[in-house]
Amino acid sequence: MKNLKYYIGIFVSLMTFATSCQDDDASLGAIIAPTNLSVSAEVVGQDADNPDGDGTGFVDISAKASNFISYKFDFGDGTSEVVPSGTTRHRFTKVGVNTYTVIVNAIGTGGVSSSTSIEVTVRSDFDDPEAKQFLTGGSSRTWYLAASEPAHLGLGPANAAIDGEGYWYPKWYAAQPFEKCAEEISACFCDDELTFTLEANGQLTYQLNNNGSTFFNGGNQAIVGGDGSEDSCFDFDTSGTSLVSLAPSSNDWSTVPDTDFTARGTAMSFSDDAFMSYYLGTSDYEIISVSDTELYVRTLDINDSAIAWYLKFQTSPAEDAFESVFNTLVWSDEFDTDGAPDATKWTYDLGAGGWGNQELQTYTDTRENSYISDGTLKIVAKANGNGYTSARLKSENLEEFTYGRVEVRAKLPGSEGTWPAIWMLGANFDTAGWPACGEIDIMEQTGWDKAKTSGALHLPGNSAGEAITNSTANLTATTEFHNYTVEWTANVIKILVDDTVFLSFPNTADTPFNKDFFMILNVAMGGTLGGSIDPNFVEDIMEVEYVRVYQ
């Protein structure tokens, strides 16, 4: 793969070519080849009982020369490394006792070099044939980002010293399903193809097809000239084949307090600076788990040893098609009768006072603010003197249910300062209070960004600004109707736009999401998510074509 070592090699080659075609240029200084080059090797763990080492495959190799600038080691196992100091420790991973010819080039001024070699015989005992079988299917297997899964990209503390209770999983950040796939700066992240092959000699190899561009971490963009301001896609050549060596994990996973957690204990190292999909500057990954269909890996951030990154892959491209487990329609309002909303299905919240979010509207039950015509419910926010009026419809005490799929087809207001919402609240709100009652926000849109919609879950410990939330691009939210849906089971809550999941949350017996909830439809003005209101605002409408509940 083209990488920093590649560019160093090109530079050295060009410099050597230049010096062969012209006389020494005094402005460049004298061109001097290194002399007195020698190399030595010490096999780790070598003694009378273990003449070929302790089985780890480690060898300490040192080179010395006069007039050198740097050294390049070709280890004879298909890998190489530039080592300015001349001293390195290399792990040879081919199982058994094997002899390698290590070639060392001492590089001098102007790119001229001297070389020598040494033979190293070393034993490596570690192997993980089952992991190789899973990775390659016995021959060759291609993996894809598990973009439909929660935490396909994750971030957490690197070790117990940083966070003793949460260092083996992505505690700090877990990507939501298909997060980043629809964003221009990160869409390249979701179309990578990672192929592992088991060669006839037992060597594991790897190729990354990035379809021309790679998703770069902001702190690792120097190689492509990025400014590091945010993670972005850059054109990048990942052609070529990398060798993969397996080694025991350097982590002591026995200290993990979660007794249900078991790491595989196998680490992978890729030659030629190869990497797995997301460019973090690292070529070393630990296999947390692997099977015939799923691969979960962990790597440390090259720029910050306190950070661990997690990636999930699968053996088929991620599909964003959604199949509900609920198919029986149990309640609906199709809004097909002109006039007032159906009083057997909807009641109102009334009044002003900010509603806990510094909102500026007063809610009414008049036809100025809510009515049905031409097959849709209209919720109208209006300027009214020095204030605003709107409507908040709810199914409290009329339609309340536990679990199911709620689907609402709606077109949203486009005016600055409008805050439309389609949401649900625990039916025990009056007694338990908020957030103990739980809240499921199927759709919200801020007053300042009409090209996105979001979903959220509020519960004790995760409410208000700490809610479980995610947003998705929705460029035509104010000009076209879209389906806003929640799929709610005892095990998971998924929030979707047009049958594409963008937020997924594991439901458990400990959350408030295992009892009756009721539905709410409203348009607020201003407040925490409405923001500043257009000073020329007169009125705007959220139209709802239907509300359907399936169980």
Side-chain angles (χ1 to χ4, degrees), residues 55-386:
T56 63
F58 280 122
V59 179
D60 293 326
I61 308 173
S62 296
K64 294 182 179 180
S66 302
N67 305 314
F68 77 94
I69 295 175
S70 187
Y71 298 91
K72 181 186 178 190
F73 290 76
D74 288 301
F75 296 108
D77 60 356
T79 66
S80 61
E81 183 180 13
V82 174
V83 184
S85 68
T87 300
T88 187
R89 170 171 285 193
H90 183 69
R91 184 194 286 271
F92 294 89
T93 60
K94 186 176 180 181
V95 176
V97 177
N98 297 281
T99 299
Y100 305 88
T101 301
V102 180
I103 299 173
V104 180
N105 285 276
I107 302 168
T109 58
V112 295
S113 63
S114 301
S115 66
T116 189
S117 64
I118 187 173
E119 286 198 342
V120 174
T121 300
V122 60
R123 186 180 96 243
S124 178
D125 293 340
F126 183 82
D127 196 13
D128 191 339
E130 184 183 54
K132 290 180 178 177
Q133 174 67 31
F134 284 140
L135 289 168
T136 66
S139 55
S140 186
R141 175 172 282 167
T142 299
W143 296 84
Y144 306 86
L145 184 72
S148 61
E149 295 296 318
H152 56 268
L153 173 65
L155 178 67
N159 54 55
I162 299 165
D163 191 332
E165 294 299 317
Y167 62 91
W168 67 96
Y169 64 94
K171 181 175 184 178
W172 295 336
Y173 164 72
Q176 293 295 330
F178 293 102
E179 184 176 345
K180 302 183 184 300
C181 295
E183 298 181 26
E184 183 176 353
I185 63 169
S186 56
C188 68
F189 182 41
C190 300
D191 64 1
D192 288 353
E193 299 174 359
L194 298 78
T195 301
F196 288 88
T197 301
L198 189 61
E199 307 292 347
N201 62 358
Q203 174 66 56
L204 188 62
T205 62
Y206 169 78
Q207 293 176 306
L208 171 61
N209 174 18
N210 70 346
N211 290 293
S213 59
T214 281
F215 189 44
F216 274 77
N217 175 265
N220 296 279
Q221 295 176 5
I223 190 174
V224 287
D227 61 14
S229 59
E230 60 181 333
D231 292 8
S232 300
C233 290
F234 291 90
D235 291 344
F236 196 62
D237 184 359
T238 60
S239 60
T241 299
S242 169
L243 302 182
V244 185
S245 59
L246 303 182
S249 169
S250 59
N251 291 306
D252 182 6
W253 293 116
S254 65
T255 62
V256 170
D258 183 355
T259 57
D260 293 330
F261 174 83
T262 303
R264 184 165 191 89
T266 297
M268 299 185 291
S269 293
F270 298 87
S271 70
D272 303 307
D273 293 338
F275 58 95
M276 297 184 72
S277 192
Y278 182 40
Y279 191 93
L280 293 160
T282 181
S283 296
D284 300 312
Y285 298 81
E286 173 148 8
I287 300 174
I288 299 298
S289 61
V290 63
S291 69
D292 270 323
T293 58
E294 298 176 345
L295 172 62
Y296 188 31
V297 299
R298 179 184 196 261
T299 186
L300 300 185
D301 192 296
I302 196 71
N303 295 316
D304 189 344
S305 60
I307 292 175
W309 291 94
Y310 295 80
L311 289 158
K312 288 182 181 179
F313 301 94
Q314 60 190 33
T315 51
S316 59
E319 298 288 344
D320 59 4
F322 171 72
E323 293 186 12
S324 177
V325 299
F326 303 108
N327 297 303
T328 302
L329 182 65
V330 296
W331 185 93
S332 72
D333 196 335
E334 303 297 324
F335 303 113
D336 50 10
T337 301
D338 289 358
D342 188 340
T344 68
K345 297 179 178 180
W346 301 103
T347 184
Y348 299 85
D349 278 322
L350 301 173
W355 299 90
N357 301 299
Q358 297 83 54
E359 301 164 29
L360 301 178
Q361 79 288 334
T362 297
Y363 286 129
T364 82
D365 58 3
T366 72
R367 299 295 68 77
E368 285 190 350
N369 296 116
S370 60
Y371 61 92
I372 297 168
S373 69
D374 301 323
T376 64
L377 167 69
K378 276 82 169 175
I379 297 179
V380 186
K382 301 173 70 74
N384 182 13
N386 295 323

Side-chain angles (χ1 to χ4, degrees), residues 333-547:
D333 196 335
E334 303 297 324
F335 303 113
D336 50 10
T337 301
D338 289 358
D342 188 340
T344 68
K345 297 179 178 180
W346 301 103
T347 184
Y348 299 85
D349 278 322
L350 301 173
W355 299 90
N357 301 299
Q358 297 83 54
E359 301 164 29
L360 301 178
Q361 79 288 334
T362 297
Y363 286 129
T364 82
D365 58 3
T366 72
R367 299 295 68 77
E368 285 190 350
N369 296 116
S370 60
Y371 61 92
I372 297 168
S373 69
D374 301 323
T376 64
L377 167 69
K378 276 82 169 175
I379 297 179
V380 186
K382 301 173 70 74
N384 182 13
N386 295 323
Y388 307 91
T389 59
S390 187
R392 183 153 113 173
L393 280 67
K394 59 182 182 178
S395 68
E396 186 177 15
N397 298 321
L398 299 172
E399 174 59 22
E400 298 173 349
F401 56 95
T402 303
Y403 309 137
R405 171 164 58 96
V406 180
E407 184 175 292
V408 180
R409 185 165 179 79
K411 182 170 66 173
L412 309 182
S415 299
E416 179 184 357
T418 56
W419 173 5
I422 299 167
W423 52 300
M424 300 169 64
L425 203 60
N428 64 341
F429 169 75
D430 286 344
T431 56
W434 185 91
C437 65
E439 176 180 329
I440 301 173
D441 296 330
I442 304 171
M443 186 289 302
E444 287 188 288
Q445 186 179 63
T446 67
W448 57 87
D449 188 350
K450 299 303 183 180
K452 288 183 180 179
T453 50
S454 66
L457 298 165
H458 298 261
L459 65 159
N462 291 99
S463 61
E466 300 298 322
I468 308 298
T469 186
N470 195 31
S471 62
T472 185
N474 195 353
L475 301 181
T476 60
T478 65
T479 59
E480 298 178 9
F481 284 88
H482 294 272
N483 288 358
Y484 302 98
T485 305
V486 62
E487 179 93 352
W488 170 28
T489 76
N491 299 315
V492 67
I493 300 173
K494 298 180 180 180
I495 299 179
L496 311 86
V497 174
D498 295 332
D499 289 340
T500 297
V501 177
F502 70 94
L503 191 157
S504 183
F505 176 76
N507 196 17
T508 70
D510 298 325
T511 76
F513 306 118
N514 298 287
K515 52 181 176 51
D516 280 357
F517 274 60
F518 61 88
M519 293 171 288
I520 304 173
L521 310 170
N522 72 282
V523 178
M525 295 296 298
T528 53
L529 287 188
S532 299
I533 300 172
D534 182 350
N536 298 314
F537 177 82
V538 176
E539 72 173 45
D540 211 339
I541 301 173
M542 177 167 75
E543 290 191 67
V544 181
E545 187 173 316
Y546 61 74
V547 178

